[in-house]
Amino acid sequence: MFEVYIHVPFCLRRCGYCDFNTYTATDLGAGASRGNYANMVIREMKLTKQWQLDHGIEEPPVSTVFFGGGTPTILAARDLVAMLDAVRKIWSIAPDAEITTEANPDTVNEYYINELAAGGFTRVSFGMQSAVPHVLKTLDRTHTPANVAAGVNAANKAGLRSSVDLIYGAPGESLDDWRTSVTTAIDLGVNHISAYALTVEPTTKMGRQIAAGTLPKPNDDDEAAKYEIADDLFAAAGLEWYEVSNWARPGYESQHNLGYWRNVDWAGLGPGAHSHYNAVTEADHPQSASLTAPAGGGCPADAGLGVVSVSHGLRSWDIAHPRLWGTAINENRVPWADSETITPEENLEELIMLGLRLHEGLDLGRINRAINDAGMSSTPQTLRTVSVDQLAPMISEGLITVSDNHRVVPTRRGRLLNDSVIEQFFDFVGV
């Protein structure tokens, strides 16, 4: 599988809890403005495609495209459609591809959503966050529950799938407040809901307010109780968890999200976006052995950056500031800040971390192959493996179950203690 992620770094205002790579200015220089942004991303697509060709990377048609941010819908709908059309032209898109944009409920209406649908979008993910006014105010959100309902109704009329995102654990949010938000989201009739625990970063406005004592710090026990409330209410409504923070009716899972958790290839476009390739061929660029970008960031499209052996993967990330990102593109350079190889041992760690978040579970057979690919056998003649018997303590603690086809699945307790489950599994594997 091959996915494309497009980051739109513009917002009308910065929410107090947000530490994403977003900006409120309309023009950030070097062509990175709201009005010209689609053109810049399309130019990055062409540079990225050339880089793939130079490195022998032949991807299948794109299976998912996801516009995130920031606020993608701060741009004109025609700009999102233009970027999608460019993906189709440069890489081709599978006939059944999932095409999603995140949307701030304040920035879309029926006409906007109809234009997205006509342009090939299949799905809209609305940033609902809460249905309680005082919680929305604490989160610095300006939309109302009515805006969300109007957006979902417009998407339904246009034949698009809808999802809503919720955040729990905001300062001052009671358990009843959270129940109200969950039931309101369910009553919208959407087939997919994401629910994320609030993470407070010290450099954000909310982080500074908490440090100053003007807002209470989120409480782990409170967040655990809210997770259980959500899980119960979603299940009663027919929404099944498929990833620790995501619930959907069967067949409505976000294929783009699943791609990340399954560790597929994806190209990230836009300031600060990350890309991931499971294997990069040697290609005829012996002069370039380093994975480090040139001084100032960005890499020539024909420069063979990140040449690694086919048994290794590659992770890269775009220059974060839009002006410097735009400068690299204007100089015909792939706008990467840097990149790194993914060693077999790192790949093993990622397989464990990602697989233990999924309802489909962690495939022990795949893990055991990865262990030996990483050269972690006790002797060359002995294959090191993780067996079901070794996992017995975690099973008895109620953290995981193991299916008949040897897939390790976290229980609800295991989801709440996911970091601990991962650490224990690392201990078994020896990483």
Side-chain angles (χ1 to χ4, degrees), residues 10-15 17 70-74 101-109 112-113 124-129 140-144 147-148 151:
F10 300 105
C11 280
L12 292 172
R13 60 178 291 180
R14 176 177 284 274
C15 299
Y17 62 90
T71 307
T73 50
I74 203 173
T101 185
E102 292 179 340
N104 182 327
D106 278 347
T107 60
V108 296
N109 56 29
Y112 191 105
I113 288 174
V124 182
S125 179
F126 294 96
M128 177 177 174
Q129 320 311 2
D140 280 337
R141 301 293 290 186
T142 58
H143 70 267
T144 67
N147 295 142
V148 180

Side-chain angles (χ1 to χ4, degrees), residues 249-272:
R249 300 188 194 283
Y252 288 86
E253 300 85 358
S254 167
Q255 296 306 305
H256 190 85
N257 286 349
L258 281 172
Y260 287 148
W261 304 122
R262 291 169 176 164
N263 223 20
V264 304
D265 283 12
W266 71 84
L269 306 163

